[in-house]
Amino acid sequence: MSRLSHIFRELGRSLYRFPGTALGALLSLALLFLLFDLFWIAAATTEQLYTRLISQLRMEAFVAEHVIDTEIPPLQDAIAHTEGIIAIEYISREKAREVLHEMLGTDLLIGYDSANPLPRSFIIEFESDALNSEDMASVCEGLSGFPEIAEVTYSQQWLKNAEATRVIIKRFGLALGVFILLTAIISSVNNIRLMTRARTEGFQQMRLLGAGRLFLAFPFLIEGMLISGLSAAAGWLAINYGSHQISLTQIEIVYPVIEEIVIFCAAAAALGAISGYLGIRKLLR
Amino acid sequence: MSTANVLFGWQPMADEIVADIQNVYLGAARNEGIFRNLNLTLKAGHTAIVTGGPGSGKTSLTALLTGVGFADEGLVEVFGESLRPRRIWAINRVRRMIGGVGGIFGLVPSMTVAENIAFPLVITGLSKRRRQAKLLKMLTEFSLLKKAGDYPRTLTRVEHTLVQFARASIGDQPLLIIDEPSAGLDQATTARIFEFLIKASLSGRALLLLCSDAPAHDLPNSDIYHISNGTLE
């Protein structure tokens, strides 16, 4: 029996003697990780939805009535050079009439060809980094300073609400992550403690014979790693099974890529190892 | 090269000091006065027989020498290592060189007889071939072959003691601490154990025997001490 085989034999002893405790820990952790996985998917899907919606956000700057058409190109140029703006499109009175026609299905200005009252405007598209209420408000303020611009509009309140919702989801995710981390550690620590309690005498004897702390703790580190890692993998397997049973046409659900899942399971296993050490720490003193 | 040298990197020379206890006070802070100016020097190839009644401090002496307990004052050196709290590596190294029987020493309940006996070799990392050869020798020497796969809970008291002796000898541990060597043993087993102890002493190992009364059997190079009022006389 080498040191390594002793470690694995001790691990086997723990699982063989306390199968209920190990299974209970595995299932409760799997359930916990499943909850986290579901939230992860929900957050990723929401984030994608948010990015998609936000990318459609445009700002419209209306040209003042006194501006003559020859002044439009230099004005468009000046606006295009503003930081954060990626594209700018000029909407003439005629174009505005076409757009209105498309929207309503009928031309309301028939008979008023010489006196089109629709305003001229610029539709401004932003870089993805600038698609936030702060940057857009700053651009809006800058554009309002142009004497040739009569009014600037964009969905300011909607953007603020969307950002606030995003912040709430992020905070909730963080709180849930911390909650799950703590629960997973406490659950694993208790599980390891339960398994070691009955073996206190044996541990003391092994210590008395000169066995090092790490040598004694190793089987429990591996056990914590196994239980936690397997629980995380079981959570993802359940998600994978569920994803094949459900198909949504309205929303595209965003699943993490395999590399992220592997990293998550590895992190869960590392968490289990820490829990294993914490579980046996008292016995090693 | 002897097993002790291979396992521990330390081979006591004849008359070399194995354990040294100088001016040790223990329990004074708690007004228990377990030891008051305790002095004991144990050399390789020598045997110290410490007698004393229950509660006289025999187990505390074992605890001091194995780093389970620490002196309030004074010096405790085993194999040249000063045993003080937090010197985990030194304490573990010392413990690996001690073979213990009885008192605070017991068997690991979750391990079989063979696993218990071989454990000191497992933690020192001896090769499987040499480990198995030594294990077989011990199982044969202490008539435990048939019990190799049994767990401690199924053993008789005599078998329990024999397993501990086998474990304390498998690595030729340079220091043997035996708490009540003949407790619960029949005459024939006691005689066999003392025969083993004589051989161990003659091979250069240091022996510390802790017993209520002086043993009926003689041991070579032995000194008898009586522990009373916290000091050795």
Side-chain angles (χ1 to χ4, degrees):
Chain A
M1 188 171 58
S2 68
R3 279 190 233 195
L4 199 65
S5 69
H6 167 84
I7 285 167
F8 282 104
R9 197 172 283 217
E10 282 294 302
L11 168 68
R13 275 191 189 116
S14 271
L15 299 177
Y16 176 74
R17 287 173 60 143
F18 306 99
T21 314
L23 189 67
L26 190 86
L27 290 178
S28 59
L29 281 178
L31 205 64
L32 210 63
F33 285 130
L34 181 66
L35 182 71
F36 187 81
D37 300 344
L38 287 172
F39 181 78
W40 185 349
I41 290 166
T45 306
T46 311
E47 180 68 19
Q48 193 198 45
L49 214 63
Y50 171 84
T51 311
R52 230 180 246 174
L53 283 173
I54 222 89
S55 67
Q56 290 165 14
L57 194 65
R58 303 281 185 272
M59 184 178 275
E60 193 163 13
F62 293 97
V63 179
E65 282 303 317
H66 64 81
V67 177
I68 54 171
D69 282 350
T70 52
E71 289 174 336
I72 296 291
L75 177 62
Q76 183 172 353
D77 245 21
I79 295 172
H81 283 95
T82 308
E83 202 185 331
I85 292 174
I86 194 169
I88 181 164
E89 187 190 357
Y90 172 62
I91 307 291
S92 63
R93 292 184 202 278
E94 291 69 35
K95 178 80 177 164
R97 183 179 174 179
E98 279 171 27
V99 172
L100 191 67
H101 186 179
E102 264 176 40
M103 283 169 69
L104 300 175
T106 178
D107 189 357
L108 297 175
L109 299 177
I110 292 173
Y112 296 93
D113 293 342
S114 58
N116 181 349
L118 294 175
R120 294 163 296 173
S121 66
F122 294 108
I123 301 291
I124 300 161
E125 201 176 318
F126 285 81
E127 286 172 4
S128 58
D129 288 349
L131 280 167
N132 58 70
S133 53
E134 200 177 315
D135 285 357
M136 288 187 80
S138 156
V139 172
C140 177
E141 200 182 319
L143 293 182
S144 301
F146 281 84
E148 298 91 341
I149 298 295
E151 191 187 353
V152 183
T153 62
Y154 67 100
S155 306
Q156 191 176 11
Q157 196 53 45
W158 178 87
L159 181 63
K160 278 186 178 167
N161 289 344
E163 282 179 342
T165 310
R166 190 189 191 197
V167 167
I168 289 169
I169 290 172
K170 275 192 174 172
R171 279 185 189 160
F172 184 71
L174 196 69
L176 190 72
V178 171
F179 174 75
I180 284 172
L181 182 85
L182 283 176
T183 317
I185 288 178
I186 292 167
S187 172
S188 302
V189 166
N190 278 338
N191 167 50
I192 304 283
R193 263 190 202 147
L194 272 175
M195 288 181 170
T196 52
R197 191 167 288 174
R199 298 169 61 186
T200 310
E201 189 195 336
F203 274 107
Q204 283 167 351
Q205 284 307 319
M206 287 191 260
R207 294 274 291 136
L208 202 53
L209 294 170
R213 289 178 184 197
L214 196 62
F215 178 76
L216 291 176
F218 224 84
F220 295 94
L221 299 190
I222 296 174
E223 186 186 318
M225 263 171 81
L226 269 180
I227 290 178
S228 201
L230 285 176
S231 302
W236 283 116
L237 283 176
I239 296 279
N240 184 48
Y241 175 77
S243 70
H244 285 98
Q245 308 300 314
I246 302 165
S247 66
L248 296 175
T249 50
Q250 298 293 316
I251 305 167
E252 187 202 339
I253 298 175
V254 181
Y255 295 101
V257 292
I258 191 76
E259 287 84 358
E260 287 173 330
I261 294 174
V262 169
I263 290 169
F264 179 78
C265 291
L271 187 76
I274 294 167
S275 308
Y277 179 75
L278 291 176
I280 197 176
R281 198 172 50 130
K282 269 190 185 174
L283 273 182
L284 299 176
R285 277 179 192 157
Chain B
M1 194 182 280
S2 78
T3 312
N5 205 4
V6 171
L7 291 181
F8 315 120
W10 193 91
Q11 172 78 40
M13 306 298 286
D15 293 331
E16 190 177 341
I17 293 175
V18 168
D20 198 13
I21 296 175
Q22 296 295 330
N23 311 315
V24 162
Y25 287 79
L26 181 69
R30 301 185 295 274
N31 290 324
E32 291 168 1
I34 298 168
F35 294 138
R36 295 188 189 97
N37 198 22
L38 186 84
N39 292 285
L40 175 71
T41 302
L42 185 56
K43 293 176 180 175
H46 288 247
T47 300
I49 301 166
V50 177
T51 62
S56 57
K58 298 196 297 288
T59 305
S60 300
L61 188 58
T62 313
L64 280 184
L65 291 169
T66 51
V68 173
F70 301 98
D72 296 330
E73 277 179 49
L75 172 91
V76 178
E77 264 189 14
V78 185
F79 303 114
E81 296 279 7
S82 174
L83 299 188
R84 290 195 303 270
R86 295 197 186 90
R87 296 198 70 209
I88 306 291
W89 287 101
I91 290 169
N92 281 344
R93 187 178 159 267
V94 164
R95 284 176 179 175
R96 285 174 197 175
M97 291 195 269
I98 296 174
V101 179
I104 61 171
F105 296 100
L107 299 179
V108 181
S110 62
M111 287 184 186
T112 62
V113 165
E115 287 169 349
N116 263 291
I117 296 172
F119 190 74
L121 302 184
V122 171
I123 51 177
T124 48
L126 194 71
S127 75
K128 190 178 176 183
R129 191 177 55 82
R130 296 197 65 184
R131 220 166 44 224
Q132 284 184 334
K134 298 233 36 138
L135 175 64
L136 188 65
K137 190 179 166 215
M138 285 299 120
L139 287 170
T140 312
E141 198 172 322
F142 288 93
S143 312
L144 291 165
L145 268 172
K146 285 183 183 169
K147 295 283 174 185
D150 290 358
Y151 284 91
R153 65 177 180 276
T154 64
L155 303 178
T156 63
R157 186 160 182 177
V158 172
E159 287 164 346
H160 222 272
T161 310
L162 289 177
V163 174
Q164 288 191 48
F165 268 106
R167 186 184 64 188
S169 307
I170 194 163
D172 292 328
Q173 288 93 323
L175 172 60
L176 262 175
I177 300 176
I178 302 142
D179 201 334
E180 300 291 358
S182 53
L185 301 181
D186 53 73
Q187 274 192 334
T189 313
T190 306
R192 199 172 149 199
I193 290 298
F194 271 88
E195 201 177 301
F196 159 77
L197 291 177
I198 291 166
K199 268 186 358 194
S201 176
L202 292 175
S203 71
R205 298 168 75 185
L207 270 59
L208 175 65
L209 266 62
L210 306 160
C211 25
S212 307
D213 303 301
H217 300 75
D218 287 332
L219 288 167
N221 294 329
S222 62
D223 297 305
I224 299 181
Y225 303 91
H226 183 70
I227 191 165
S228 171
N229 295 322
T231 53
L232 283 176
E233 296 157 358

